[in-house]
């Protein structure tokens, strides 16, 4: 059981992992904490945005939609490999998911199939949205994949988690397909190698 790191520690961890970080507005205090607690945290969730254009993507993830207010994640990873911090605290990114998956993440074990919507993921996961159309055709530049690897590893390193603490939205919530275009198995291997 881990309390979320402070916003300053989060920023420092990302920079220490070699990432270029862009701070967007008052990201440290932009959250959905009034809707419920954030923490204890147990892992990192990776998403794709189904958007095109970095500026538009970052703005959308910061503001959200009428029926899903922002922030929609903690960091937006754009195609150029930069991490744009848009919020810190509870964020509308994970939604309801499977408690069996959460137990596996906590235990750092192989993930079971996600087949239930019974657990609040916004409370327990750091979230990174990654700029991509999510159609399986839109490319994932090497710089962006490296940034996903580094961002997830930065959080894991701080909490002393291994790569099994990093999951895709599609592994948490039935019916989700993100991220599409690379496998979470391959990304976890990259994170494992980075963590040493």
């Amino acid at each position: 059981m881990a309390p979320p790191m402070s916003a300053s520690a989060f920023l420092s961890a990302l920079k220490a992992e070699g990432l270029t970080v862009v701070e967007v507005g008052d990201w440290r205090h932009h959250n959905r904490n009034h809707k419920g607690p954030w923490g204890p945290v147990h892992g990192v969730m990776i998403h794709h945005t189904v958007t095109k254009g970095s500026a538009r993507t970052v703005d959308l993830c910061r503001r959200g939609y009428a029926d899903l207010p922002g922030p929609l994640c903690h960091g937006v990873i754009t195609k150029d490999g930069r991490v744009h911090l848009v919020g810190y605290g509870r964020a509308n990114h994970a939604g309801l998911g499977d408690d069996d998956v959460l137990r596996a993440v906590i235990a750092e074990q192989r993930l079971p199939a996600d087949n239930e919507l019974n657990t609040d993921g916004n409370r327990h996961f750091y979230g990174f949205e990654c700029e991509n159309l999510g159609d399986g055709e839109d490319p994932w530049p090497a710089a962006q994949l490296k940034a996903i690897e580094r961002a997830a590893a930065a959080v894991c390193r701080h909490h002393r988690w291994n790569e099994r603490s990093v999951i895709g939205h599609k592994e948490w919530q039935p019916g989700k397909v993100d991220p599409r275009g690379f496998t979470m198995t391959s990304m976890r291997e990259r994170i494992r190698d980075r963590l040493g």
Side-chain angles (χ1 to χ4, degrees), residues 133-152:
L133 292 174
D135 58 4
E137 305 285 328
D138 193 15
W140 290 90
Q144 188 179 29
L145 291 172
K146 179 66 79 175
I148 296 167
E149 169 197 323
R150 287 182 174 183

Side-chain angles (χ1 to χ4, degrees), residues 13 33 41 46 60 62-63 80 84 91 116 121 127 153 163-164 170 195-196:
N33 289 358
V41 287
I46 307 298
L60 179 65
R62 185 176 190 284
R63 295 175 187 267
D80 60 5
H84 303 256
E116 296 179 293
E163 75 281 357
R164 290 191 178 273
K170 62 187 173 187
L195 291 172

Side-chain angles (χ1 to χ4, degrees), residues 174-194:
K176 294 296 182 180
V177 298
D178 56 316
R180 180 183 281 167
F182 65 88
T183 69
M184 285 307 301
T185 298
S186 67
M187 183 54 66
R188 279 189 285 268
E189 288 170 356
R190 293 175 64 142
I191 294 163
R192 178 198 63 208
D193 293 347
R194 173 162 287 276

Side-chain angles (χ1 to χ4, degrees), residues 25-186:
D26 188 19
W27 68 273
R28 295 168 186 263
H29 303 105
H30 184 49
N31 56 56
R32 304 287 296 161
N33 289 358
H34 64 285
K35 289 294 185 180
W38 189 44
V41 287
H42 299 298
V44 179
M45 192 171 293
I46 307 298
H47 307 260
H48 65 230
T49 58
V50 195
T51 59
K52 186 173 184 177
S54 296
R56 177 177 173 269
T57 297
V58 170
D59 186 63
L60 179 65
C61 289
R62 185 176 190 284
R63 295 175 187 267
Y65 306 88
D67 57 346
L68 190 67
L72 303 183
C73 59
H74 301 104
V76 182
I77 302 176
T78 48
K79 291 216 178 248
D80 60 5
R82 294 187 297 167
V83 180
H84 303 256
L85 300 182
V86 297
Y88 206 68
R90 186 181 176 91
N92 274 334
H93 74 100
L96 292 176
D98 194 312
D99 61 339
D100 294 325
V101 172
L102 182 60
R103 279 192 287 276
V105 169
I106 292 169
E108 297 184 320
Q109 297 175 342
R110 179 184 294 266
L111 298 176
D114 55 327
N115 59 13
E116 296 179 293
L117 296 167
N118 60 12
T119 301
D120 175 13
N122 294 334
R123 178 177 183 177
H124 298 298
F125 289 94
Y126 294 89
F128 290 98
E129 286 280 359
C130 306
E131 178 193 352
N132 192 275
L133 292 174
D135 58 4
E137 305 285 328
D138 193 15
W140 290 90
Q144 188 179 29
L145 291 172
K146 179 66 79 175
I148 296 167
E149 169 197 323
R150 287 182 174 183
V155 176
C156 289
R157 197 180 303 283
H158 175 88
H159 288 293
R160 296 184 177 154
W161 296 334
N162 71 29
E163 75 281 357
R164 290 191 178 273
S165 294
V166 182
I167 67 172
H169 198 193
K170 62 187 173 187
E171 296 172 306
W172 169 249
Q173 191 176 80
K176 294 296 182 180
V177 298
D178 56 316
R180 180 183 281 167
F182 65 88
T183 69
M184 285 307 301
T185 298
S186 67

